[in-house]
Structures are given as C-alpha cells and as structure tokens.
Amino acid sequence: MGRRTVHVAVYDTPADWEIGHITAHLRETTFHRPPREGFTVAYVAARPGPVTTMGGMRVQPDLTLAELRPEDSAMLILPGATAWEGDPEMSRFTRAAREFLEAGVPVAAICGATAGLAMEGLLDEREHTSAAAEFLAATGYKGGDHYREADAVTDAESGLITAGPTEPVAFAREILARLEVLEPEVLDAWFRLFSASDAAAYGVLEAAATR
C-alpha cells in the first residue's frame, strides 16, 4: 500500500485501551522480515489543541478535520469515548468516515464509535459488530440484518472494521490484516499471544524477528 499514514481520531476522553495495541504495532517493525517501513500514526481532532484521554494522557493532534483528506490516508480509526454519548460535534467525525468510505479508504471503529457510524447510516448495508446487537438497535439504525456476533468484523466490500469495547486485540488484528502489516502466519501468532497468552505463539514471532 502506497499511503503510509494512518489517521486516528481524538476527541474528549478517547478510550486508551481500545487503540493502544494498534497504534504501537503500526509503528513497530520488529516482526517484518525483510525490514519494512512502519506506518506513521497521525492524530486528528475537530480543532487545534490537546485532547485528554480517558486515562488522563494529553494528546496533541497533528491536524484537524478540516485538513484531513482521504487521499492522504491509509485508514481512519475511530476509538470509543464518552463523547459519543450525545455530543453533537461527533457528527463531524462520522461525516469524515463517510467521506473515507466513499473514497474507497477503509475506516475502523470500536465501541461507541460504532454507534456513531450506525446513526450516520454507515452500517445499514455493511457487515459489522459492536458491544451488542441491542446497543446498536437503540440507535434506530436499519442495519440489524448485517450485525455479526464476532470479536471483530471486516466488511469485505468496503473494508469497514468494527469491534466492541472488550476486543481491542481483535480490532488490531483486523486492522493489521487489512493493511497487510504482518504475514498471515505471523499475524495469527501475534493474535494468539496477545489475546490468549499462548506461549507457543511467541516462538513464531521470535523466528519472524530473526530470520
């Protein structure tokens, strides 16, 4: 993939644990052989100035939504946040997600961000998951027939990735697969190690890092 920047949306109280695995491993190149350039992770906010995460970290955005263009990006990632619960400004991020999907650039959303996409109508015709089917049904969206009971889901046609709040590792797995960051065998081992502490998986990762 030519574009090597992944954009992560930040707004009031983004959930730290939902994006920690993916932001670290997009930048990390340990398991790439031959060595491969990692992705640049750029943080995008509605306006200039720092954003404070749910865990209290202050993030200085790299750009604003007004500067964000799908053609400059490999993917837009939307974490969950308390801001998804009724903040009208969040519609600016869902409109950005629409622009990305219409431009053929994938979007990944987890937890409350999936509800935002549902209200924007972006899940009506795309396979998806979330915290629970009832959670999305409460938004009044029309995509219930496309809901899947899974840890994380990638819609094959659009590349839209969704997950619930308890599945940050599966969320990262789908993103790493979509962006072809790791070979399938290495990605499988990565997921087994970080999701289930599978000791056997470490040997696969160690071999990938040294071959």
Side-chain angles (χ1 to χ4, degrees), residues 2 32 35 41 60 141 147 167 181 200 203:
H32 300 158
V41 176
Q60 179 62 49
Y141 86 130
Y147 187 90
E167 300 293 347
V181 174

Side-chain angles (χ1 to χ4, degrees), residues 4 21-33 36-39 41 176 181-182 190 209:
R4 304 297 297 180
H21 284 282
I22 190 56
T23 54
H25 286 282
L26 283 173
R27 292 167 54 87
E28 173 61 61
T29 60
T30 300
F31 306 127
H32 300 158
R33 288 295 179 272
R36 184 186 307 173
E37 178 189 1
F39 282 81
V41 176
L176 294 171
V181 174
L182 300 176
W190 179 89

Side-chain angles (χ1 to χ4, degrees), residues 34-60:
R36 184 186 307 173
E37 178 189 1
F39 282 81
T40 296
V41 176
Y43 295 91
V44 56
R47 58 179 60 85
V51 173
T52 302
T53 71
M54 201 174 291
M57 290 191 295
R58 288 169 64 82
V59 178
Q60 179 62 49

